[in-house]
């Protein structure tokens, strides 16, 4: 993470430290909320809310409740997604449904969604209305994206367009929404909000595609997860879809039918290289990074802030590509 | 259900008929939403939103989105509670997690909560802010009530005060909130809103206590569920808590330890009668009904509307008591 975003992260941690004390009873409801929120993570989304507000000269304290709302919502979605995906670990710690149980994870997730809405109560008048409307739209789309992700597990012929739409909904709109909401709080114009959201959405797409790339071709020492996870799950990523379109059916099935896990990962990686799927993915990442940067030109920021946005867009896709 | 509330129910059904067409894709996300909402039910909560608005001369069309939001939220809570309670049936039909699966029920429930917030988007200015704030508070309390309900399954010595607080949060605040939100939409004063919410909360408590009474002493032909369900589950209801306080430990355990289900139900019923728990519960129901009626005196309605509130309070507790 970039240095300037780290500055935001530390004030976010501080704000959450105080937040935990606000609601404590019933314990079994709020303990898991505090647990998941205190596992940390990059705090990328709330940092983007603060960045957007900061760029327009809005004090960080004013934007903080919105930043926290976005992070609480993001963590709500992680808690519920982890149940659905039967994930045992999140950020190296047991997921809420594993540490407690599925019922606890459902209900604590529910209350987190409500807490996100409550955090917006600090805003007034048109600002209040605009943040709630923007947030409603984002929240719905995140659910739709998660549904498509689950749907695509059971469909063989997912197209690239369908895949891009799924990651747009599941991941990118929340990043775009974080920037838009930061802009709303700061009083940005409708045109500026479009540019902020556009930047965030395109960065979000490039970010998710980079994650896909690293899941297959990343460095196991820095990626944090096992390399090849998507391959073993048969996940219909951009790489999978491109290779499936370009390879013969036999080639494709031969690689994916190998029983030994390491052999399978290696064979699929070779297939991705041979079909140029890896190259196509890198080009796709570049395309969305460039699209994101084009939005920065439509924003009225002074040079230091422009640099932040540009560095951010590059940093998110240059995580050891 | 009272005749005058039925009039509201039919316009509510009509409004939902159109609502289903608004969101249809992804299918697997929205089908369960339409399914649970179209199972009907009494539509008590949205009817109360309309009643409150109507009493202040507000057109039903204006209050309808708020009424639908309350019903969508109520159904969200049913979908998630049914997963937690492993309930197979809801209104005589398979629950969402049984008809589909738990993942579908989690995610469709989540999107329903967001849909509830979206339905409030129709309101503007202070009204918008006030309904969102009132709704946030209600939604959080419903989650807290569900948590206490689950907590009390594992605690033997639940007190009457704890039980009353649990049903207040889980059931009564949403009924109070429905009336308050109807009043907000209609432009009622702060004092009137307090009276509306107070009426609804007390009616809600009396309503839930009546349900407890009928679960043990009701007529199987009209109650709709098996009589004695709470006894077999060992649920810590008002009857259970009162009898446990008044009976000797031996008497109490003897009744509850019977293996044969029908014998156990009969023995516990006898215990409830012998200890006067049944009488205490009827008195408690009367107390909250009277408290509810006292709030009506603080409302500025003309006689026909006062009658509606009075008949409503009585109807909800005179379901074959």
């Amino acid at each position: 993470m970039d240095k300037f975003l780290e500055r935001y992260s530390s004030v976010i941690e501080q704000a959450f430290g105080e937040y935990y004390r606000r609601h404590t009873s019933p314990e079994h409801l709020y303990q898991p909320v505090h647990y998941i929120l205190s596992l940390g993570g990059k705090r990328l989304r709330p940092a983007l809310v603060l960045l957007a507000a900061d760029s327009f000269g809005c004090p960080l304290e004013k934007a903080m409740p919105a930043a926290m709302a976005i992070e609480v919502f993001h963590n709500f979605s992680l808690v519920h997604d982890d149940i659905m995906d039967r994930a045992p670990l999140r950020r190296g710690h047991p997921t809420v449904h594993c540490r407690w149980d599925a019922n606890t994870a459902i209900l604590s997730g529910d209350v987190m969604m409500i807490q996100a809405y409550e955090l917006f109560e600090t805003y007034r008048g048109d600002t209040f209305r605009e943040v709630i409307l923007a947030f409603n739209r984002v929240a719905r789309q995140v659910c739709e994206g998660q549904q498509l992700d689950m749907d695509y597990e059971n469909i063989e012929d997912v197209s690239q367009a369908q895949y891009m739409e799924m990651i747009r909904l599941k991941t990118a709109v929340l990043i775009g929404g974080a920037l838009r909401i930061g802009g709303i709080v700061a009083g940005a114009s409708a045109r500026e909000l479009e540019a902020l959201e556009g930047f965030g959405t395109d960065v979000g797409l490039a970010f998710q595609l980079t994650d896909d790339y690293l899941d297959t071709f990343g460095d196991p020492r820095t990626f944090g997860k096992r390399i090849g996870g998507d391959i073993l799950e048969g996940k219909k990523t951009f790489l999978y879809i491109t290779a499936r379109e370009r390879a013969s059916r036999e080639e494709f099935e031969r690689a994916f039918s190998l029983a030994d896990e390491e052999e399978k990962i290696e064979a699929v990686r070779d297939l991705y290289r041979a079909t140029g799927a890896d190259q196509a993915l890198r080009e796709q990442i570049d395309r969305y990074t460039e699209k994101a940067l084009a939005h920065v030109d439509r924003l009225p920021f002074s040079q230091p802030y422009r640099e932040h946005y540009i560095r951010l867009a590059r940093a998110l896709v240059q995580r050891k590509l």
Side-chain angles (χ1 to χ4, degrees), chain A:
Chain A
M1 176 89 17
D2 214 84
K3 266 274 175 295
F4 81 99
L5 279 187
E6 271 172 24
R7 188 169 61 87
Y8 297 136
S9 308
S10 78
V11 285
I12 291 163
E13 292 310 329
Q14 213 179 320
F16 271 118
E18 286 159 36
Y19 180 71
Y20 301 143
R21 266 167 265 154
R22 238 187 269 179
H23 292 286
T24 53
S25 168
E27 246 184 35
H28 289 132
L29 183 63
Y30 292 112
Q31 261 179 2
V33 176
H34 304 173
Y35 171 77
I36 186 78
L37 283 171
S38 62
L39 293 186
K42 292 184 294 289
R43 308 292 195 203
L44 172 64
R45 291 155 193 82
L48 293 176
V49 176
L50 297 187
L51 169 63
D54 198 12
S55 331
F56 283 98
C58 167
L60 295 190
E61 314 85 79
K62 193 180 163 195
M64 186 58 81
M68 293 166 77
I70 293 293
E71 183 69 1
V72 170
F73 175 80
H74 174 57
N75 280 270
F76 140 77
S77 75
L78 298 180
V79 169
H80 278 194
D81 286 4
D82 283 343
I83 311 173
M84 300 184 220
D85 301 342
R86 301 178 188 282
L89 291 177
R90 168 65 62 186
R91 295 172 183 147
H93 293 83
T95 46
V96 171
H97 68 278
C98 284
R99 166 113 184 222
W100 287 271
D101 52 41
N103 284 0
T104 304
I106 293 171
L107 195 60
S108 295
D110 290 345
V111 88
M112 288 175 85
M113 169 124 61
I114 299 157
Q115 287 181 304
Y117 280 99
E118 283 183 326
L119 279 158
F120 290 123
E121 290 183 4
T122 184
Y123 305 108
R124 302 267 155 177
D126 289 345
T127 304
F128 178 71
R129 184 178 168 77
E130 276 188 61
V131 291
I132 296 288
L133 264 62
F135 183 72
N136 282 345
R137 201 169 39 122
V138 165
R140 171 193 289 280
Q141 289 181 317
V142 170
C143 290
E144 291 178 351
Q146 170 68 6
Q147 182 64 55
L148 291 180
D149 197 11
M150 297 197 300
D151 284 350
Y152 293 168
E153 285 174 22
N154 307 312
I155 301 175
E156 189 47 43
D157 59 338
V158 177
S159 71
Q160 277 184 8
Q162 285 177 309
Y163 179 73
M164 292 305 296
E165 176 63 2
M166 185 276 280
I167 64 173
R168 187 182 74 80
L169 293 167
K170 183 166 172 166
T171 304
V173 296
L174 183 56
I175 293 178
L179 284 154
R180 170 181 280 269
I181 286 170
I184 294 171
V185 168
S189 72
R191 240 189 113 224
E192 290 159 348
L193 295 177
E194 285 306 308
L196 280 171
E197 183 172 356
F199 172 83
T201 307
D202 289 330
V203 159
L205 289 169
F207 174 73
Q208 182 57 52
L209 291 171
T210 301
D211 227 53
D212 292 356
Y213 187 90
L214 295 175
D215 194 281
T216 296
F217 295 108
D219 181 338
R221 286 164 305 180
T222 55
F223 184 55
K225 284 189 285 188
R226 177 183 185 176
I227 300 298
D230 286 349
I231 293 173
L232 296 178
E233 276 180 50
K235 202 162 180 344
K236 282 106 185 169
T237 61
F238 187 92
L239 289 166
Y240 179 102
I241 295 163
T242 307
R244 194 169 163 278
E245 280 172 8
R246 295 182 179 181
S248 73
R249 194 172 165 157
E250 291 73 39
E251 279 179 297
F252 188 83
E253 287 181 354
R254 196 184 315 128
F256 271 96
S257 63
L258 288 168
D260 180 85
E261 292 195 344
E262 289 310 317
E263 277 177 31
K264 178 172 173 176
I265 293 170
E266 205 42 55
V268 172
R269 249 199 227 121
D270 287 343
L271 177 75
Y272 287 167
R273 287 195 195 98
T275 54
D278 62 335
Q279 181 60 25
L281 177 52
R282 283 197 301 268
E283 283 164 15
Q284 185 83 332
I285 293 168
D286 288 345
R287 195 171 310 130
Y288 282 102
T289 308
E290 291 310 311
K291 276 188 73 178
L293 294 175
H295 292 291
V296 180
D297 294 335
R298 295 159 55 207
L299 287 163
F301 306 144
S302 61
Q303 199 51 35
Y305 276 102
R306 304 178 73 79
E307 284 296 325
H308 287 336
Y309 284 81
I310 294 166
R311 289 218 315 268
L312 172 71
R314 300 216 184 281
L316 287 174
V317 300
Q318 279 167 0
R319 300 172 287 159
K320 322 273 179 279
L321 248 195

